Amino acid sequence: MGIFAFFPILVAFCYFALILVIINFIYKWANKFLILKQEHNDLLREIIKKMDRK
């Protein structure tokens, strides 16, 4: 009965770890998306400035 007493705690810990991993992946994806969007906007601004100079 000793190992079966810790089984629910182990399952809850695994679910908690899985949720944290999913949240971490979502955070990394959103952060990368926002950084790429900002770089895209910066490049468009530079192109517009160069086009205005000509």
Side-chain angles (χ1 to χ4, degrees):
M1 176 148 159
I3 195 163
F4 292 114
F6 293 109
F7 188 69
I9 296 169
L10 182 63
V11 170
F13 179 74
C14 288
Y15 279 127
F16 184 67
L18 184 63
I19 289 170
L20 287 178
V21 167
I22 291 171
I23 289 172
N24 188 27
F25 281 143
I26 292 171
Y27 172 75
K28 284 184 177 181
W29 177 82
N31 196 23
K32 188 175 288 188
F33 178 78
L34 292 174
I35 289 171
L36 288 174
K37 187 68 173 168
Q38 184 64 37
E39 289 178 2
H40 180 258
N41 288 340
D42 292 342
L43 287 172
L44 285 175
R45 280 190 202 104
E46 288 182 25
I47 292 171
I48 290 171
K49 284 179 186 178
K50 287 183 180 179
M51 302 256 323
D52 286 341
R53 289 180 190 162
K54 290 185 179 183

